[in-house]
Amino acid sequence: MNFTHEIKKERLLISLSGDLIGEDNGTAILEIATNAIHEKVLACIIDISNLRYINSSGIGVLITILTKFRNKGGEVYLMRPSESVQKLLVITKLNAIFQIIQSETEVIK
């Protein structure tokens, strides 16, 4: 899996591509989220449009990020899930826990 991140307009934007399977990148992504929270960033947008697959460890990474942000009064948004990832979110009922958006402009500060 590959990922990039940036903070803009007090929002952390993480873009993921490939397969989110909780490997070493999972730890790095969690560290980025923790650092952003320490910098008072309370919104996290995770662009998952280029993810092909997520396993249970990858779901754990997403839920951990969500927990970290919500514990500080923030929110996590999953942006543009691919069809296969959208199906997984529905099957696991995670679509009821995460806010699913199609663009950054949908995030209300």
Side-chain angles (χ1 to χ4, degrees):
M1 180 192 69
N2 295 313
F3 71 92
T4 61
H5 73 282
E6 65 179 314
I7 295 176
K8 59 181 186 179
K9 298 182 183 177
E10 299 178 357
R11 297 176 183 151
L12 172 62
L13 174 61
I14 301 172
S15 298
L16 306 176
S17 62
D19 299 332
L20 179 57
I21 56 175
E23 55 202 20
D24 293 338
N25 288 341
T27 304
I29 294 168
L30 292 174
E31 186 175 323
I32 289 166
T34 300
N35 291 339
I37 291 168
H38 286 276
E39 294 178 23
K40 308 295 185 215
V41 173
L42 294 178
C44 178
I45 301 168
I46 304 175
D47 183 349
I48 57 174
S49 59
N50 292 314
L51 273 185
R52 293 180 304 230
Y53 175 75
I54 303 176
N55 71 1
S56 58
S57 295
I59 289 171
V61 169
L62 295 177
I63 290 173
T64 301
I65 293 170
L66 178 69
T67 302
K68 286 177 176 287
F69 274 88
R70 286 195 178 164
N71 283 345
K72 296 295 183 179
E75 189 57 69
V76 174
Y77 304 87
L78 299 181
M79 187 166 65
R80 292 189 298 265
S82 64
E83 186 177 335
S84 61
V85 172
Q86 178 66 37
K87 287 178 183 177
L88 176 70
L89 294 172
V90 171
I91 289 168
T92 58
K93 300 193 185 308
L94 290 174
N95 62 326
I97 296 170
F98 285 96
Q99 294 199 40
I100 311 295
I101 61 173
Q102 294 303 312
S103 72
E104 289 181 55
T105 58
E106 292 180 49
V107 176
I108 299 172
K109 188 171 181 180

